[in-house]
Amino acid sequence: MALVLGFAVLTAVCTCYAAGHLGIDSDTDHMFATSLPWRQHQLAFDREFPQFNDLLVAVVRGATPEETDQAAATLAATLRADRQHFHDVTRPDADPFFRKEGLLLLGPDDLAKLLDSLMAAQPLLGPLASDPSARGLLQGVSLMAEGVRIEHADLSAYNTALRQLQQVLEHAAAGRPQPLSWQSLLGSDVTRQTDNMRLLLLHPVLQANSLQPGLAATQALERASAALPGVRSGRVRMNYTGSVALSDVQFGALTEGIVGSTLVSLVLLALWLYLALRSWRLIVPILLTLLAGFALTIGFAAMAIGTLNLISVAFAVLFVGLAVDFAIQFAVRLRDERPQQPTLAAALSGTARAAGAQIAVAAMAIACGFLAFAPTAFVGVAELGLIAGAGMGLALLCTLTLLPALLWLFQPRDQDHELALPFGVAWDHLLQRHRRGVLGLFTVLAAAGMVAAVWMPFDANPLHTQDPNSEPMRTLRSLAENPATNPFNIDIMAPDLVHARTLGDRLAHLPEVSSVISGATFVPAQQPAKLDQLEQAQDLLLPSLEPSGAAPALTPATLRTAIADTRDAIARAGTDLPADSPLRGIDVALQHLAQAPDARLLAMNEAVTRFLPDELASLRDALNATPITLQSLPDSIRHDWFAADGRVHLQVSPTAAAHDTAGLRRFVDAVQTIAPDAGGPAVTTIASADTIMRAFLQAAMLATVAIALVLLFALRHLRDTGIVLLTLAMSGLLTALLAQLAGMAINYANIIALPLLLGVGVSFNVYFVMNWRAGMRRFVGSASARAVLFSALTTGTAFGSLALSHDRGMASMGSLLLLSLVAVLLATFAFLPALLYTLAPASPRTAR
């Protein structure tokens, strides 16, 4: 009783301590050791440019560039006012610097192309200078038609602009006015975007000690965007992504449905315990022992580490699934021992002597599988290994001390139920008769498993463990499809502008690189030549952009007159117009508008001129660009592209070929041949994959060596140790084969299943081998086999709850653990008995 009370007090203390000191670390960057070179580079870059960390990114897309700009500006203003949820909001594309100096940032050829496009639109711009209305625009169309009639002018250069105008007039005539995009009409393919996208970079207020620290800010963003007029009309949409949103979604998936899956797991656990033991006087002590061991383990986690990460939160399920094996083994052995002993005390003592060593070996082997990850640089799994490995030791302690005490208190009655599995004896006879055939079959399966292991894919991208249908992932994929917005870029620091230009030029010529942007981009070369181009354009274009006095009042009557004049001009052009000329479509639309109500005509005028004034002002500002120097750069640009010590930031974007892991690796390798110190998301993704693989290989070797030493110490015989290790190897190869057949890939979450497989395999195999050493010739028909089977069922139930998780990483871990458990059972119940039937035990003893 004193022992039970002592454990009760210790359990309560550990539970209370964990409740107050065990937190959640939702930052996935913390899952790798800071001593790694690529992590040090990442941390150094983060210190120089902290504004790129903990971001929520709003992506605004609209039907026209102007509507997108307007919606993004309104949303940014709304969010800036929400200090409860956002620290700051920035729009990189809306900096006044780009409005005034943007044309100087274009290359000479692109600048010439854009200016030619503006020149081509001058016939439309000229009348608008004196009359910025639909009337002035129609006058420009009339002049173009007259040019065709009188001078046989070729209007093919204007077709794109005229077709846009035709579509706007057609919509207005149908009573569905849509604004004319003057940016699209006056621009060229140099400035034209395919999806009219604008980005808002938000630093949300994060809620401490929350699994989803940015959820409140994300919800505020969704509410603000839903209130935008453009969103309500369906002409604008807002999506979001960013590290904060991705982390929130992943941790949210961990908790989604956790109550239901936990209840189902507990019901199944109770069912397996009942079928294995058939006595509540045995089941309740086991459950209490599990709870005590779990409480001690979370207390250890709180004291030793203090936080749980995305992977180490799985320790709870793993603990229950694995620790219950020890208790079942003890209880089943007790049922086997009880009829042979006069008292319960004697039976408990005999069980401890018979099963204690086997359970201890199993616990140490599983602990070795977990603890093998502890010294690796993959901190996420290292912490899980440390917690779960210590948990196995605590589970062993509880099984050999608390469980016997509880069994003494509950006084389980003698049971005369058969302990052997119903099919056990027949299965043993079958394996004994066909042992060579069984071993031959497993040899073939092992060879197939070797091939599967060699070709087992490894998915290096941690984002692939995210739900692909979640909002942040859909948005991220849409950004990644465009090289200009692909988030998997590379960051490099150059000592000064000269080196930045030289390095940027070298990188830009790599076939794996789509673009290079640096601080040098904003102090462009060849400025005198570009300023000369702009000066020439000013002479020709500014008169068309400057207002030239007040225009006559606009009325529906004057609009009808302008429509009639334009139709007459198009009609006079007659057969001189090509059959596919947009002017013919404009004539048809104007015919409908001439018969439309006054309100519809005024709505057409509003649609045509809504964005015109700002576009004319923007063009005037852009044409009046002035020389850019390092000293004249605004702080908003320097903040993102220059370090405090003067070093220059370069951002290298990949081509579309980097959409998969192989392409991303080629991109990183190509850039690092020129800039070995390169970092950034692309480098981090590849480096983290390499770190994970090294951690796995290191852990696998450590686990194998540690388990071999444990077995040598326990079995004290090389051949018997080799039998267990051979069975483990068979389990591993079968796991690889099953995973390949199931189409699974190894990733950063499920990789722990492989070293853990060694520990689980030992915990099952060692029972058979130690019984065989004691002279037993019934393996599947023994009480140990019953305990192993129901232990596997309870363990599988725990792993199954992981496999059903809404988090893809956790689900992949559970699925691979389930497959490995199936492989272990096949090896334990078929391969190992067949192998043992072909061998003689090293030192036979009297069978029990």
Side-chain angles (χ1 to χ4, degrees):
M1 179 60 74
L3 180 64
V4 173
L5 290 176
F7 265 100
V9 171
L10 188 58
T11 297
V13 169
C14 288
T15 302
C16 293
Y17 184 84
H21 296 82
L22 188 60
I24 299 292
D25 184 358
S26 59
D27 191 339
T28 54
D29 287 339
H30 296 166
M31 290 173 57
F32 296 93
T34 57
S35 59
L36 292 166
W38 62 269
R39 276 286 285 145
Q40 292 178 348
H41 182 283
Q42 181 185 34
L43 293 171
F45 185 84
D46 290 346
R47 286 192 296 270
E48 291 289 353
F49 302 99
Q51 65 269 30
F52 299 134
N53 295 327
D54 296 328
L55 280 176
L56 184 61
V57 180
V59 182
V60 181
R61 294 181 175 92
T64 64
E66 291 90 344
E67 289 174 283
T68 307
D69 280 329
Q70 194 173 71
T74 303
L75 181 60
T78 301
L79 299 179
R80 286 191 187 102
D82 185 1
R83 306 300 297 176
Q84 178 183 355
H85 295 108
F86 300 98
H87 293 295
D88 57 66
V89 179
T90 57
R91 282 189 60 200
D93 60 278
D95 195 294
F97 171 81
F98 296 114
R99 182 181 177 106
K100 179 163 177 49
E101 311 287 5
L103 294 183
L104 286 181
L105 303 182
L106 297 175
D109 293 340
D110 287 340
L111 177 58
K113 193 171 184 179
L114 177 58
L115 293 177
D116 288 343
S117 177
L118 292 175
M119 297 292 186
Q122 192 175 16
L124 291 176
L125 292 175
L128 289 171
S130 58
D131 188 2
S133 67
R135 181 177 55 196
L137 179 60
L138 290 174
Q139 183 182 352
V141 175
S142 298
L143 291 174
M144 296 174 74
E146 288 294 324
V148 173
R149 181 178 68 86
I150 298 173
E151 300 180 2
H152 303 287
D154 181 6
L155 298 184
S156 58
Y158 305 96
N159 281 350
T160 300
L162 290 174
R163 285 197 177 93
Q164 292 182 47
L165 176 59
Q166 175 188 342
Q167 292 176 0
V168 170
L169 294 175
E170 288 172 346
H171 284 292
R176 303 186 304 274
Q178 296 180 3
L180 176 63
S181 171
W182 287 92
Q183 285 189 36
S184 299
L185 189 144
L186 298 177
S188 70
D189 55 6
V190 174
T191 58
R192 192 171 295 122
Q193 295 188 20
T194 57
D195 54 0
N196 297 325
M197 179 180 64
R198 302 292 185 269
L199 301 180
L200 276 69
L201 306 183
L202 319 173
H203 282 108
V205 175
L206 302 179
Q207 298 173 317
N209 298 321
S210 171
L211 278 174
Q212 296 174 284
L215 180 60
T218 301
Q219 292 172 339
L221 169 63
E222 291 178 314
R223 290 192 298 270
S225 67
L228 294 173
V231 172
R232 291 202 302 269
S233 68
R235 292 187 60 80
V236 174
R237 73 180 189 274
M238 191 284 299
N239 306 104
Y240 63 87
T241 186
S243 59
V244 171
L246 289 166
S247 178
D248 284 349
V249 167
Q250 191 156 29
F251 274 90
L254 286 174
T255 59
E256 186 178 355
I258 192 171
V259 175
S261 63
T262 300
L263 291 176
V264 171
S265 297
L266 290 175
V267 170
L268 289 175
L269 180 63
L271 174 64
W272 303 139
L273 288 174
Y274 172 75
L275 292 176
L277 305 172
R278 298 184 181 277
S279 170
W280 69 269
R281 295 176 185 270
L282 292 172
I283 295 173
V284 173
I286 288 177
L287 294 177
L288 292 175
T289 302
L290 279 178
L291 290 175
F294 181 74
L296 296 180
T297 302
I298 61 173
F300 169 81
M303 288 183 287
I305 299 175
T307 58
L308 298 177
N309 60 56
L310 181 63
I311 295 179
S312 63
V313 293
F315 91 91
V317 175
L318 295 176
F319 176 87
V320 173
L322 296 170
V324 72
D325 170 57
F326 309 152
I328 290 177
Q329 287 289 339
F330 193 95
V332 169
R333 289 299 185 91
L334 177 63
R335 283 189 57 189
D336 190 32
E337 187 81 17
R338 186 69 179 88
Q340 304 176 44
Q341 300 293 343
T343 64
L344 177 60
L348 287 170
S349 178
T351 300
R353 287 193 302 271
Q358 295 181 3
I359 295 173
V361 172
M364 286 190 290
I366 296 176
C368 287
F370 278 121
L371 293 174
F373 268 103
T376 68
F378 188 14
V379 175
V381 175
E383 291 179 351
L384 172 61
L386 181 61
I387 296 171
M392 293 300 98
L394 294 170
L396 175 63
L397 174 66
C398 292
T399 300
L400 298 182
T401 56
L402 178 60
L403 180 58
L406 289 172
L407 290 170
W408 173 257
L409 290 177
F410 279 81
Q411 292 289 309
R413 297 171 181 155
D414 293 345
Q415 295 175 286
D416 55 4
H417 297 293
E418 175 61 43
L419 285 177
L421 294 171
F423 59 86
V425 174
W427 185 252
D428 279 327
H429 288 322
L430 179 67
L431 291 176
Q432 190 169 16
R433 286 197 307 271
H434 303 287
R435 56 187 179 274
R436 297 187 184 279
V438 170
L439 293 178
L441 174 61
F442 272 94
T443 300
V444 173
L445 293 176
M450 288 182 184
V451 175
V454 171
W455 292 101
M456 177 75 71
F458 178 63
D459 190 346
N461 196 333
L463 291 175
H464 291 169
T465 62
Q466 294 259 15
D467 178 6
N469 297 315
S470 67
E471 171 73 3
M473 277 301 299
R474 288 199 307 269
T475 306
L476 186 68
R477 285 201 307 274
S478 72
L479 294 177
E481 289 169 358
N482 183 350
T485 57
N486 192 327
F488 292 102
N489 45 52
I490 289 178
D491 296 309
I492 305 170
M493 299 302 295
D496 51 44
L497 281 177
V498 174
H499 286 86
R501 283 199 178 92
T502 303
L503 182 58
D505 290 341
R506 293 180 64 194
L507 292 169
H509 286 88
L510 292 174
E512 295 83 4
V513 172
S514 68
S515 66
V516 180
I517 301 176
S518 73
T521 303
F522 304 99
V523 188
Q526 301 177 309
Q527 289 191 54
K530 296 177 187 177
L531 289 169
D532 286 343
Q533 287 178 277
L534 292 178
E535 186 176 356
Q536 296 173 24
Q538 287 174 10
D539 295 337
L540 297 172
L541 289 174
L542 282 182
S544 301
L545 300 176
E546 294 289 351
S548 57
L554 185 71
T555 64
T558 58
L559 277 174
R560 294 184 194 279
T561 300
I563 289 174
D565 291 342
T566 302
R567 294 198 66 210
D568 286 343
I570 294 174
R572 286 193 297 270
T575 57
D576 292 323
L577 287 174
D580 61 347
S581 172
L583 288 179
R584 296 184 183 276
I586 289 175
D587 181 52
V588 175
L590 291 176
Q591 179 184 1
H592 293 299
L593 281 168
Q595 303 168 5
D598 290 350
R600 190 168 294 184
L601 282 179
L602 294 175
M604 179 272 290
N605 180 72
E606 167 64 19
V608 167
T609 61
R610 176 178 169 185
F611 299 121
L612 177 60
D614 185 67
E615 182 62 19
L616 294 179
S618 176
L619 285 173
R620 288 194 297 269
D621 291 341
L623 290 173
N624 284 296
T626 58
I628 306 172
T629 65
L630 181 59
Q631 292 70 30
S632 68
L633 282 178
D635 290 340
S636 55
I637 300 296
R638 299 182 64 87
H639 183 56
D640 290 345
W641 297 98
F642 293 88
D645 58 4
R647 287 177 299 150
V648 184
H649 172 203
L650 291 87
Q651 180 177 288
V652 187
S653 298
T655 62
H659 69 281
D660 58 13
T661 300
L664 193 64
R665 184 177 290 278
R666 288 192 297 271
F667 168 59
V668 171
D669 290 343
V671 172
Q672 287 189 327
T673 57
I674 297 176
D677 294 332
V683 174
T684 297
T685 299
I686 297 302
S688 61
D690 294 340
T691 300
I692 292 170
M693 184 55 70
R694 284 194 298 270
F696 160 67
L697 295 174
Q698 179 182 349
M701 289 187 291
L702 285 175
T704 302
V705 172
I707 288 173
L709 292 175
V710 168
L711 291 173
L712 278 173
F713 178 79
L715 302 177
R716 302 181 184 279
H717 196 282
L718 283 175
R719 187 185 67 169
D720 297 348
T721 299
I723 292 172
V724 177
L725 293 178
L726 181 61
T727 309
L728 284 178
M730 180 61 69
S731 300
L733 294 174
L734 290 177
T735 300
L737 179 60
L738 293 174
Q740 186 76 276
L741 293 175
M744 294 189 66
I746 302 300
N747 58 50
Y748 82 96
N750 65 26
I751 199 168
I752 193 174
L754 303 179
L756 182 58
L757 165 68
L758 301 177
V760 176
V762 167
S763 70
F764 290 171
N765 301 336
V766 75
Y767 301 129
F768 280 19
V769 172
M770 294 185 79
N771 289 339
W772 173 71
R773 282 161 55 92
M776 181 178 289
R777 289 299 176 269
R778 287 190 309 155
F779 302 114
V780 183
S782 67
S784 294
R786 181 185 184 88
V788 167
L789 178 60
F790 282 98
S791 293
L793 289 173
T794 55
T795 302
T797 299
F799 293 168
S801 68
L802 287 178
L804 296 176
S805 172
H806 291 272
D807 177 70
R808 288 165 61 91
M810 205 60 66
S812 69
M813 179 193 294
S815 299
L816 191 55
L817 285 170
L818 277 176
L819 290 180
S820 68
L821 185 62
V822 171
V824 167
L825 286 177
L826 287 173
T828 301
F829 279 82
F831 173 75
L832 180 58
L835 179 62
L836 294 177
Y837 280 130
T838 64
L839 302 172
S843 51
R845 299 171 188 172
T846 304
R848 295 208 40 225

